[in-house]
Amino acid sequence: MRDFLDDRRAAARVIRSIDPDVLCLQEVPRRLLATWRVSAFAGECGMSWSGHHRGSGGTTIFTSRRVGEPTVETHRLPVRPGVRRRGYAVVTVEPPGYQPFTVTSVHLSLDPDQRVRHTRQLLAELDERAGRGRSLISGDLNEGDTGRAFALLAQGHRLVTDGALTFPVSNPDKALDVVFAAPDVVVRPGRPVDLDEADVRAASDHRPVWVEIEIIPL
């Protein structure tokens, strides 16, 4: 979201068109009036927000009312002083009548060695979570499928966004924004969404990606 430097209203229109149950965001505002600004944006998108993203490195997650009351966590990833803070957000949703599901939003560094360290930490911490089997990891990796962090994620998860090109928004030639799924997650063919191209280009410097999954009844 580039700290809302782009057209926030266009971004909200794109999100309402996709109409997600869980929305992973990166680069939301973190400083002056950040909580109020992110909360207002969630409302513009027609979604709910937990109300905090402290320590998440600018990542956060919105949810729709269809998935019930979510459990949200934020985690820091260590960086040297003076380097942009990094972190990730995790939400567990329990749609009424269905088993819980976990989704993670992450934004990795521009530094390849730091990407590897952070991915190792992320995977280790997610592995400790209860109910960790049914899960998605979504975010801006700042690298493609030849990167080392990408390879680490691919060891225990599978890419389910099929290499969709997302950056730069006007003429994308890089698949930086991805969704990985745990082995037990069933991904369905996504329904077509007719997005307004002008809104997509005004909303961000990246294009959105999304997947549809099956959830398991209780």
Side-chain angles (χ1 to χ4, degrees), residues 93-110:
V93 296
E94 298 187 50
Y98 290 89
Q99 294 181 13
F101 198 90
T102 299
V103 181
T104 300
S105 176
V106 66
H107 184 196
L108 294 182
S109 170
L110 294 172

Side-chain angles (χ1 to χ4, degrees), residues 21-24 48-50 60-64 67-75 88-94 100-105 126 129 131 134-136:
D21 292 302
V22 178
L23 175 69
C24 293
S48 300
W49 183 52
S50 64
T60 199
I61 299 176
F62 295 168
T63 57
S64 81
V67 300
E69 190 68 26
T71 301
V72 182
E73 300 176 13
T74 58
H75 299 267
Y88 63 95
V90 184
V91 64
T92 300
V93 296
E94 298 187 50
F101 198 90
T102 299
V103 181
T104 300
S105 176
L126 292 179
R129 293 178 55 84
R134 294 189 51 74
S135 62
L136 295 175

